[in-house]
Amino acid sequence: MINIGIIGGAGYTAGELLRLLVNHPQAHLEFVQSSSHAGVPVADVHLDLTGETELVFVKRMPTTPDLLFICSGHGRSRSFLEKHALPPKVKVIDLSSDFRLKAKADGFIYGLPELNRKRILRAKKIANPGCFATAIQLALLPLARQGLLAGDVHINAITGSTGAGQHPTPTSHFSWRNNNVSIYKPFSHQHLFEIQESLQALQPMFANDLHFLPVRGNFSKGIYASLYTNCELSQEQATSLYHDFYQSHPFVRITAQNPSLKQVINTNNCHLFLEKHGDKLLIISLIDNLIKGASGQAVQNMNLLFGLDECMGLRLKASAF
């Protein structure tokens, strides 16, 4: 069994992580920390865990686990690790953006299994990728591997309200979000930096622009990303390239039918759809932002870190309704 602790356990990503870990056959939850909810039963905050766990939030880390998940939010993970000297045996998976970029990695490995599986297997510290970054990279990695990103990439991606976190903001209230759509951070979203680094790791000479329009959707979970770029491959060649690239990666599925977002909600899957239009290749990439885009990918990384079946605890099924 893997003895596990969670730092920052009250938010959406931590809640999703807890739902996965309470049913994972090799996971033993030792503690869940939350400064704002110390002394409160975990199931009183994450109500869907009623009857699933008797854990109570703690204020400080009471024991030294085998694995520490940090879900404290962007900017807080680095501060936590600077204040707490963890023994070398403790492995860390951080779900913030603090260690994703190479210049700030401090020994963390970028945790996109479809890109870095071999490095993850040998790692001790994992920087879990961003949700938009996951969907967009999975759409582009096969082209980059073959040096086929020859022009700019145009990206429109719409995300659910849980992507904004649990703390209410003016654009996450139901009355604002419902029946509403808006663009934010056009061409300047923070996930662009990690996407560029990954693409250049496979195609070092790639220097074209990623024109990214992030969109707030009026639904709670999921990312629907549509991308297009110039591509000389035929439809058949592109489909074959993607099948070959992902044949050993169990959570990425190439679909021949134009997909809908519900096909991936509550799963760790990414569905990719390819369609050639003249000299352009359209790529649609769908994920659940809290699972493959966050906590499910973190559990996938945990499985790899500890030599388990990559799919353990993650054989989740979407609902048709």
Side-chain angles (χ1 to χ4, degrees), residues 5-292:
I6 297 176
I7 301 297
Y12 287 141
T13 56
E16 204 71 80
L17 182 61
L18 284 161
R19 292 178 198 108
L20 295 171
L21 293 177
V22 295
N23 293 303
H24 193 289
Q26 291 297 318
H28 173 254
L29 279 165
E30 285 195 345
F31 66 86
V32 184
Q33 182 274 342
S34 172
S35 299
S36 58
H37 292 80
V40 177
V42 168
D44 283 3
V45 174
H46 302 294
L47 298 177
D48 54 313
L49 292 177
T50 299
E52 297 286 341
T53 179
E54 301 300 321
L55 283 170
V56 173
F57 287 110
V58 297
K59 190 173 185 63
R60 296 179 180 85
M61 188 168 63
T63 60
T64 302
D66 301 319
L67 173 64
L68 192 66
F69 288 98
I70 306 180
C71 305
S72 298
H74 306 309
R76 299 178 184 174
S77 298
R78 186 178 298 275
S79 175
F80 173 85
L81 291 174
E82 287 173 351
K83 294 176 182 177
H84 297 80
L86 299 177
K89 76 177 187 69
V90 178
K91 297 185 179 183
V92 178
I93 297 178
D94 177 45
L95 282 84
S96 80
S97 62
D98 290 14
F99 303 101
R100 290 173 187 162
L101 300 181
K102 292 177 181 177
K104 301 179 179 180
D106 287 346
F108 278 76
I109 299 300
Y110 188 66
L112 187 65
E114 293 79 9
L115 175 69
N116 282 333
R117 180 193 275 154
K118 291 181 179 179
R119 298 183 68 200
I120 293 167
L121 288 168
R122 303 190 299 269
K124 285 190 172 293
K125 298 187 292 184
I126 298 296
N128 219 56
C131 52
F132 272 137
T134 295
I136 293 167
Q137 287 174 98
L138 293 177
L140 296 175
L141 291 181
L143 295 175
R145 172 73 77 184
Q146 296 301 319
L148 294 174
L149 288 175
D152 291 358
V153 182
H154 301 265
I155 308 160
N156 182 286
I158 183 168
T159 185
S161 59
T162 52
Q166 192 176 46
H167 185 73
T169 68
T171 58
S172 64
H173 286 292
F174 177 81
S175 57
W176 188 93
R177 199 96 178 199
N178 188 48
N179 296 325
N180 202 9
V181 173
S182 66
I183 286 176
Y184 70 108
K185 299 181 182 178
F187 308 110
S188 61
H189 196 278
Q190 64 273 15
H191 288 184
L192 283 169
F193 298 105
E194 58 187 281
I195 297 168
Q196 285 276 11
E197 283 198 350
S198 294
L199 295 180
Q200 289 171 349
L202 297 182
Q203 186 176 333
M205 299 305 292
F206 177 70
N208 295 89
D209 289 329
L210 302 174
H211 303 289
F212 179 27
L213 296 177
V215 181
R216 300 181 184 96
N218 61 348
F219 49 90
S220 59
K221 293 183 77 183
I223 288 177
Y224 185 107
S226 56
L227 309 85
Y228 69 90
T229 188
N230 289 340
C231 182
E232 295 181 356
L233 297 178
S234 67
Q235 176 80 43
E236 293 74 18
Q237 289 172 326
T239 301
S240 177
L241 173 67
Y242 276 70
H243 275 293
D244 289 347
F245 187 94
Y246 288 118
Q247 64 179 341
S248 63
H249 296 288
F251 294 112
V252 181
R253 286 89 186 271
I254 315 302
T255 176
Q257 295 183 335
N258 196 333
S260 59
L261 190 56
K262 282 188 176 181
Q263 292 172 225
V264 299
I265 298 304
N266 297 326
T267 80
N268 198 53
N269 299 331
C270 173
H271 283 198
L272 295 176
F273 172 76
L274 310 172
E275 191 169 78
K276 196 70 190 295
H277 292 267
D279 62 352
K280 303 285 193 299
L281 179 65
L282 169 68
I283 311 159
I284 296 174
S285 178
L286 310 180
I287 65 168
D288 184 311
N289 61 296
L290 290 182
I291 303 186
K292 183 57 175 169

